[in-house]
Structures are given as structure tokens and as C-alpha cells.
Amino acid sequence: MKRILIIGGGFGGVAAAKELRGLPVEIGLVDRRNYHLFQPLLYQVATAALNPSDIASPIRKIFRHQKNVSVVLGTVEKIDLQQQRIFIEDQPIPYDYLVLAAGATHSYFGNEQWGKDAPGLKTIEDATEIRRRFLLAFESAEIETDPDARRASLTFVVVGAGPTGCELAGAMAEVARNTIPADFRHVDTATARVILIQGGPRVLEAFPEESSLSAQRQLEAIGVEIILNQRVTEVRSDGVMCGETFIAAHNVFWAAGVKASSIGETLGVPLDRSGRVKVNPDLSIPSYPNAFVIGDQAAAVDGKTGKPVPGVAQGALQGGSFVGKIIRRELKANEKEEQAPDRGVFNYFDKGNLATIGRNKAVAEIFGCKLAGFPAWVIWAVVHILFLVNFRSRLAVGFGWAWTYFFGDRGARLITGKSEVQIKRPPNFD
Amino acid sequence: MKRILIIGGGFGGVAAAKELRGLPVEIGLVDRRNYHLFQPLLYQVATAALNPSDIASPIRKIFRHQKNVSVVLGTVEKIDLQQQRIFIEDQPIPYDYLVLAAGATHSYFGNEQWGKDAPGLKTIEDATEIRRRFLLAFESAEIETDPDARRASLTFVVVGAGPTGCELAGAMAEVARNTIPADFRHVDTATARVILIQGGPRVLEAFPEESSLSAQRQLEAIGVEIILNQRVTEVRSDGVMCGETFIAAHNVFWAAGVKASSIGETLGVPLDRSGRVKVNPDLSIPSYPNAFVIGDQAAAVDGKTGKPVPGVAQGALQGGSFVGKIIRRELKANEKEEQAPDRGVFNYFDKGNLATIGRNKAVAEIFGCKLAGFPAWVIWAVVHILFLVNFRSRLAVGFGWAWTYFFGDRGARLITGKSEVQIKRPPNFD
């Protein structure tokens, strides 16, 4: 029986495996995690609106009824394209087809030491850590007596104004201004500053300029301060250097850069600057027609326009589906001992862009049509609910949003962590 | 203004603070966590039925509208009863009244080294750790080729058959038998053994004997193996010594003993064997009439029967309320410069006992009336929903239970943890 190994249970890997449904093959879907994560909503876990499990589904459950899929919880250490095998814990597993969909993580552009003071947002653990720091900041301000330290506790810097950065900054401003002011006695949380720093000339650079301007206005309306055309040159535990200016802030969050999973480095094939594999127009690895790379890990170009395929969920889903169909066709042809049909080239179909900023605030660009404010926000919510992978998540997320919308409250305001919370300051009874 | 310090935001501390609503006093409620935890449902987080935030509410939110309460996130290091002050981070805070309600943690009876191989269940982090180990056990079995190791991976030992132990064992057996078998390809999760070990002659010793027998039958019906009259004499990473017998098990969970919070040791007053403060009949500390101890931290006796007050939510709630009322009366009398009324003695009102074992399975003993099976299970569910501290939790828990009940599925099957999941065995493609 032919064996297809898929590395990564994100949007791309799951889509590829689903295309192979019903085939008499052995599919191994390998992931380090036992769940598929709906990353576009991760910032809502970080800002206490959703629970981790609302946006994560066990991969086993997704493939419960697709009996040709074996889910393997494990870390792939090496890929040997020549010998057609991967290694998990030094154990080789041969394959007939490989689909590499291991995704990306955040990048500090060579300043990995910034990670400790400026966590990024790619995993559930990242999200609960950001939530912990975000909520602790207000606790810290509540018992702080020194005005400068209190100000720094209430200053949140978000580095990078792509969708994640804008969504994070918008949600943080909303929590500080609308959700929690009545909960504190000694500090006015509405005075918190949320500063969004962007290296380029506008927020949401992947969107049309009109949408960027609208997003900027909407962010400013809920109190986010936006700094454009400035790079963060240093991150410290007490703040960031932004160009020549030091911003005192105890809370810095990183939404600036991504780099592909490091497993690509074991392939021995050319990678781009972000560590992505430079793939053929059919998403296969040059010289290895039975090994494909999809999603955030691939430096792919659209067959029609020649433009790079963006690192978004749609790109991964479409890539996974495209590659799954190729493998299906070739396996069928092989079975009938026919010539396999031509693979064609991957055409990315850009359905548009969506980003939310807060309650009733969003920008959308769908099939070339630009929307902002409430209509964009409704479309954003509907699209995200529909794309959640299972019905339970849709209900849970819908419930969480409805609650937050109508009661202005967030249901998941827990500070969790391995060690207990310790604030090294005396409580303030004034 | 008089200051009342309450240490601990559990059932007892919250009840005491609520009794003081509207008084012109300054109440400081100190907790190491930012949330009040509904501990009776913690085992449902450990077995993936509920989310952490479903059973945890921010303490600040509970007291949002009670303006005389200041919530302080911090760890109390020492209490000086003579000088009437507590210390947080070396900083003294004086009080007029003290309510000590810091609860209990699990105890290994002097074998604290067992904790690493047999985690207990007292905090959210404990629950997600038990969930991680429980779910990983099946992942590990799925890729294990050695039959003995596979068997040990699928053997779960729960030490202690009080309510938590019975509930944990019952839920684990249900998950293994009903929730996940279809998700695995190489292992039959229904063959998992769940072994419940109890030192005494019956499970649920606090219940009437009839209920214990019923609980035992119900547990056995869903496949839990019960060992009575045996003590665990050693816990190792590969199993437990139970009397003279070694049970090979990679997963051991501890539900056997409790000890009171160690802050009691700084009081310099007599404690019982479990570290609880031996309080007066009015729950005050001998010789310190303005310092009270309530809940799991108090060794209190019922004023009417002379029997010990059990360490359950009801005991803490009633103790908190009783102490709150004393303080309220004395403050009022003090205001009017009158003689304070006699304090009376604490009478524990035993409303009964409830424990659930699984779907439609439970035992209840309410006002002396004994129930088992479905009726007990319905009462258990209704009582627990009603006692949840806020409306959102009630909806979220109700939804989670309805989902689990009707679809036999559990919504929170996430393996999370600081480091990534690593299983040191080759995957098994057979």
C-alpha cells in the first residue's frame, strides 16, 4: 500500500489529507500537537475572549471517520528526500509521497533574545502567556505606588501592524477601556496606552490603501496610538527603543515577523530568507516530484499572476487541496497502469482580506469590494465562524462572542501559569 | 475606617466578604490567584469535559459592584497575630479583623517525592497537567510496539476513593470506553484499566454505607477496578506498590490526602495533624478574638453535634457567612457604642453529600434521603450548576455537559504544556 506522509496538522495538512479520503492508501499525519489550531482567532485567546479549546480541535477527532489516516503525535527531526523517508526520534519512516506543511513561527530578525520580553503569538501557550502578562499588568498597576512604574505597567506596545498586531492592539484597548475599569479600585484602567508600531508607512500593508486608512482611523477611535515608519531597534524588560525614542513599557508583544519551521533546513534544498522552500509551480520540491511543500512553509508563486502566495489560511487550504488532488490523480492512474495526467500549476484564488479591530469595527476587502466598520465586522464574524473546523467550536465561539458583544465582558480572564503569580511590590491601600 | 483582611478567595473568603456588603469598612481580599475556582468541578477539567475558565471567575468581577472590597493579588508570607498585621512581600498590612481562608492542598503523607509521578488535583494547573498525562497516555499506547509497555501506558491508577478519586476514575473510564475508541487506529482504548485504590474498607467513606456500595457497583459497571483496604506504599515512575503487589502503570493520580495551607504555620498557635488551626466554637483563633479561620484551613467542630466540620464547599460557605455576620454585628455595635452581642457558636448544617460517577451515574444523600443512578445524577448536575458563581459559567458548563451528554464527546481534549510533547518511541505503522 502506498504511504503518504503529511507533516503538520494545520490548514494545509488537514486539507491535503481530506482530499485523499476513501483511497486505499496509508496516510500518516504527523504533528507535535494533538490538535489542529484555528490560528486566526488566537489573539482572542490572548485577550481573554475565547478559551483555548474553543479554537483547537483534536486532529484525531477530525479524522475519526477517515480510516486511512493514522495520526502520529511526534516531532519530525529530519527529512531525507533522497531516500524518501522522515525521521521521528531517530526512527526512519519511508514514504511514497510527502506533504510538508509544518507552518511558521515568529521571527525576531536575528534578535531572538527579545523573545523573553516580547512574546509572539503562534501557539496556545503563547496566547495564554500573553493573556497572563496582559492581565497581570493591571494587577501590577493596581498595587503600584510609583507613578512612573504605574504608567509603564499600563503601557502596552504591539510591534507589527499586520492583521495579528492590529487585532491584538484593538482588543487590548477595548479590554482596558470597556471591560475591566469597574473591577479596579486604585487605578483607572481606561488610562492604559496601547501603542502599535509599524516599520512601513501604513497598517495592514496587505490590504488596499483605503482599507489601511480606515483601519487606522478605527484603531485610533478606540484609543490605539499608531507609530508608522519606525522600527523597533531594541527590546528590553522595561521598554522598547523605537527609532531614537525610548518607550517605557512593561508589556511588549511581538507581531512583526515570521519564519518557516526549521525542519525545512534539513531538506538540503534552496530556502528563501524566511526559511521557506522555493517550490515548483506545482508546489513540489525541485528535483523531488513526490515531495510537496504547502502553506506558510512554501515560497510559492501564483501560477496566473506570478505574485507570491500570501502566508494566510486560504493559501494553505488551497495548496493542501491542490496537492491532495495531484496525489489522488496520480495514484488512480498508477492503479490503472495509465500515464498520470499533467499536474498543472497552482493558482491562488484570492478571496479577499479580513481584519477585525474591535466591537463593530473591522475592515474587509472581498472580491475587490472594500468594506469597513459594522458590515465588515459582521462578515468577519460569519466567515470565521463558518471556517471553524467543527460544529462544537462554532457554537462555543459564537456563544463567547455573543456574550462579549452584549455584556461587554470577557469570559476567560484567567491568569494561569506554572509558577504562582508574584508581584514584587507592596499592596496599595490608599 | 476599620480594615478587614480576608486571605483566600475560595468559597469561604468570598462568602465572608459578601456578608460585609454595604458596610463603611475597607475589605482587603488577598489571593495568589486572580480567580475564584469552583473546585468541585476541577476533575472535569482534568478529564477534558470543561474548560478552565468555565469553572473559574475573576475575583475582581465577583466584587465589581461591592465597592468596599479591594482585591489584592499577592502571596501572604506571614501573619503576626500579636501586632495584628499580615506580610505580603515583606510589606506589613495592619488589620482590625482577619479572616483566614487559605484552604488546603494535597498531601503525600510525608512522601512529597511522589508528587512528580502522582500529581494531585487542587489547582487549574494540576488539572491541565493531569489532562495532559491522561491524553498523552493513549498517544503513547498508539505508537508503542512492546505489549507490556503498551499495557502500562493504558493503566491508570487513582489513589484515594473520596469524591475526587471516584469522580476522576469514573470519568477516565468513560473517556477510554466511550469517547475516544474511534479516534485511534492501532490501539483499543476501551482495554484501558482504571484502578481505584482505597486504604479503608469502602469508597466514599463520608457517605452512608448504602451509598458507598451503590457507588462501588456503579463504578464497576463502567469498568473501574476497585481495590479496598490497601495502601499505596510506594509511587514510582513505572507504577505503584499497593500492599505487597506491584501495579505497572505509567499514569498515577493522587486523590488521597489533604493538608491545610502552610500559612497557618506562621501563626504560632496549635495546629492539628493536617496543619489546620484548632479554632474556638465561634471559629476565632484561641486568644485572638478578631482573627478567624474558616473552611479547609480550620479544624472546627459543629456546635450542636460536636463532630468535625467536613472540608467541603458547604462548610467553607457556612463558615464564611457565620464569621461575616459576627464582624458585621460587632462593627455596627461599635459604631453605636453599644455592647456587641454574644457571638454564639458555629453550627454546621449538613445538607447532604453528592458525588457523580459518570453519565447518569451518581450517589446522593440529601437531608438523610439516599438516591443513586439517574435521579442522583440529575440532582448533582442541578446543584452544581446553581452553585456556580456567575451566570456565564452556568451557561458554559451547562453547554459543555449537554454536549458531552448527547454526543458522548468531550470538548477540551487539548494536550498543552510549556514544552512540546515528546514521546520517546518510534511511531507504529503496522
Side-chain angles (χ1 to χ4, degrees), chain A residues 51 53 60 64 139 183, chain B residues 51 53 60 64 139 179 183:
Chain A
N51 286 301
S53 72
R60 291 192 183 284
R64 168 175 284 198
E139 298 291 338
D183 288 7
Chain B
N51 286 301
S53 71
R60 292 194 183 283
R64 169 174 283 198
E139 298 290 338
T179 311
D183 289 6

Side-chain angles (χ1 to χ4, degrees), chain B residues 110-127:
Chain B
N111 299 289
E112 305 311 315
Q113 74 280 11
W114 294 355
K116 143 180 91 58
D117 294 316
L121 185 60
K122 278 286 176 188
T123 66
I124 289 280
E125 286 81 4
D126 290 343

Side-chain angles (χ1 to χ4, degrees), chain A residues 195-270:
Chain A
I195 302 170
L196 181 63
I197 302 176
Q198 166 75 337
R202 57 191 176 98
V203 304
L204 297 178
E205 290 190 324
F207 285 63
E209 196 161 345
E210 198 180 320
S211 298
S212 293
L213 289 174
S214 168
Q216 179 165 355
R217 274 193 306 272
Q218 294 182 62
L219 281 165
E220 284 168 349
I222 52 175
V224 175
E225 301 169 39
I226 298 174
I227 299 177
L228 298 173
N229 296 310
Q230 291 278 6
R231 289 191 184 281
V232 167
T233 51
E234 195 186 349
V235 177
R236 298 174 2 199
S237 63
D238 59 348
V240 297
M241 282 300 298
C242 176
E244 300 296 299
T245 319
F246 179 71
I247 301 173
H250 288 163
N251 319 281
V252 182
F253 305 107
W254 192 260
V258 292
K259 63 164 186 258
S261 161
S262 60
I263 188 65
E265 293 161 18
T266 71
L267 294 169
V269 299

